[in-house]
Amino acid sequence: MATSGPAKQKKQAHGTAAELVERMRAGDIRALARAISLVENDAPEATAILSACFPHTGDALCVGITGAPGAGKSTLVDRLAKHYRGEKKQVGIVAVDPTSPYTGGAILGDRIRMQEHYADDGLYIRSMATRGFLGGLARTTADVAAVIEASGKDMMLLETVGVGQDEVDIVRLADVTVVILVPGMGDDVQSIKAGIMEIANIFVVNKSDREGADRVEREIRAMQSLSAAHDADDWIAPVVRTVASEGEGVEELAAAIARYQGYLSERGRLTEKRASNWRERLLAMVQHRVTKRLAQMDFGGRTIDDLAHAVAAHEVDPYELLPKMAQQILGAAK
Ligand SMILES: Nc1nc2c(ncn2[C@@H]2O[C@H](COP(=O)(O)OP(=O)(O)OP(=O)(O)O)[C@@H](O)[C@H]2O)c(=O)[nH]1
Ligand SMILES: [Mg+2]
């Protein structure tokens, strides 16, 4: 009986996970919120939940939207969501907000209120604070997005501030990446991280009601003409001007997204892009698993902390230690 305990527990956890996913797929919003929390908190059931979600993912288009703080990302995401709702598409939104505290910033509060008041069950919005994620914000965001998608969404919109590497990694999870720039405020193309510019499939010049939209567009074009010679086959990111606060240009943006989706659907490009996204995700997943194990592992009676102290005191040669540790980790991972 002693050995059947954990196995039985595991089986029950799987049962619970499958039930939870079934309920959230039937439209139970509380089940969805619970599944997201468990995944976000890396709870013991998380893997079983994600595994139960996996067969119900892969059909939605995932659009990543990034840009400087205050560029109008949330406003544009809300407008896009309304656009897709108008086409009767089920929409999920994950907003990664580096500023909102756990208890919820103003935007999070507004969104929850919006969700409650309009009670549109074709739209689900989740805000995530970036602080406090151990072992990868991008991984957690991808997992949360997968759970929401599995609840039956056709369109996933991912909003993140384009500042740190973490955020760049997040938009890399998307099928389509939209980079938002705005005129003025020294927010010109040069000041935007090169990494962000490179991953743009579509540029948006938001706040085009302000002076300087022409200049931003010219700078984008100039940058594109400088970059490596294009194949006739290459996609050149179009520039769409918007006034998100007025809803202007949203139709054009949706059309540009649809065009890029069409481009991806040819010659196995979508599969290629997703495979390259999955490569990153798999590496992150393995790394996370190994790191978690490492913290509790026993290396010949010593923990990783003991070994770190021993190396710092020059009692142990780290280069001799490494192959032994690697061997032990790989052995344990079997
Ligand atoms: N003039 C003008 N203001 C806009 C436009 N789009 C958004 N805004 C305003 O710009 C401010 C910031 O918009 P948000 O949508 O919160 O921007 P954000 O990029 O999500 O901001 P963070 O998430 O805090 O980085 C708000 O006051 C919007 O009303 C626009 O096209 N023109
Ligand atoms: Mg925002």
Side-chain angles (χ1 to χ4, degrees):
M1 285 310 280
T3 50
S4 73
K8 196 177 167 204
Q9 248 175 20
K10 197 172 173 196
K11 199 166 165 222
Q12 273 176 351
H14 274 282
T16 312
E19 272 165 35
L20 193 63
V21 171
E22 214 169 284
R23 275 197 286 134
M24 75 175 213
R25 285 188 42 78
D28 181 343
I29 296 295
R30 286 169 69 178
L32 176 55
R34 170 123 183 91
I36 293 171
S37 295
L38 290 167
V39 164
E40 231 180 25
N41 298 327
D42 209 3
E45 305 93 316
T47 307
I49 290 169
L50 287 165
S51 185
C53 285
F54 186 71
H56 308 291
T57 60
D59 289 335
L61 186 76
C62 180
V63 182
I65 292 159
T66 190
K73 298 177 294 296
S74 299
T75 314
L76 200 61
V77 164
D78 287 348
R79 294 282 182 170
L80 262 185
K82 283 204 187 80
H83 170 92
Y84 290 127
R85 288 298 297 132
E87 295 181 340
K88 297 277 171 274
K89 287 184 173 131
Q90 303 276 316
V91 180
I93 299 175
V94 182
V96 179
D97 187 347
T99 51
S100 83
Y102 281 125
T103 47
I107 292 172
L108 176 57
D110 284 345
R111 287 195 153 157
I112 286 173
R113 271 196 295 281
M114 186 179 108
Q115 200 154 358
E116 281 172 0
H117 281 297
Y118 296 109
D120 175 0
D121 57 15
L123 177 68
Y124 189 85
I125 305 169
R126 181 75 173 203
S127 279
M128 291 172 55
T130 59
R131 274 169 295 160
F133 282 107
L134 301 168
L137 177 66
R139 185 185 50 80
T140 313
T141 307
D143 289 348
V144 167
V147 174
I148 297 175
E149 184 190 342
S151 77
K153 302 295 179 247
D154 310 303
M155 267 290 171
M156 289 300 302
L157 306 178
L158 235 83
E159 172 192 338
T160 175
V161 177
V163 285
Q165 187 55 46
D166 255 350
E167 286 79 16
V168 175
D169 287 346
I170 290 167
V171 279
R172 244 193 260 278
L173 302 168
D175 300 316
V176 187
T177 298
V178 178
V179 171
I180 305 183
L181 300 167
V182 292
M185 300 194 306
D187 212 3
D188 53 357
V189 174
Q190 274 77 29
S191 70
I192 303 289
K193 283 183 54 151
I196 284 275
M197 298 302 282
E198 277 159 22
I199 58 174
N201 303 123
I202 296 166
F203 287 104
V204 164
V205 181
N206 190 39
K207 306 200 183 181
S208 284
D209 51 328
R210 290 196 187 158
E211 218 173 298
D214 287 332
R215 194 181 134 215
V216 179
E217 184 164 349
R218 270 201 311 276
E219 285 179 1
I220 297 168
R221 299 285 183 218
M223 180 207 65
Q224 285 177 327
S225 67
L226 281 178
S227 65
H230 295 289
D231 250 290
D233 189 43
D234 273 354
W235 172 265
I236 298 174
V239 181
V240 180
R241 291 199 195 185
T242 60
V243 183
S245 47
E246 304 300 320
E248 285 173 30
V250 174
E251 297 283 326
E252 288 81 354
L253 175 57
I257 292 170
R259 275 203 308 281
Y260 187 69
Q261 188 178 14
Y263 168 83
L264 278 181
S265 70
E266 294 162 10
R267 297 186 213 174
R269 289 188 187 106
L270 181 63
T271 311
E272 272 312 303
K273 190 162 189 174
R274 286 188 170 174
S276 114
N277 289 350
W278 267 110
R279 185 177 189 280
E280 298 300 316
R281 284 183 67 180
L282 285 172
L283 284 172
M285 283 157 73
V286 171
Q287 234 168 52
H288 178 64
R289 175 67 66 94
V290 170
T291 308
K292 249 169 80 172
R293 276 297 281 273
L294 259 179
Q296 315 145 354
M297 217 152 155
D298 175 75
F299 296 96
R302 298 197 206 190
T303 66
I304 188 99
D305 282 338
D306 297 337
L307 289 173
H309 278 98
V311 171
H314 275 246
E315 291 160 14
V316 172
D317 175 349
Y319 305 99
E320 272 178 25
L321 185 62
L322 197 61
K324 291 180 204 155
M325 286 175 78
Q327 202 172 23
Q328 193 168 338
I329 291 162
L330 292 173
K334 272 181 201 149

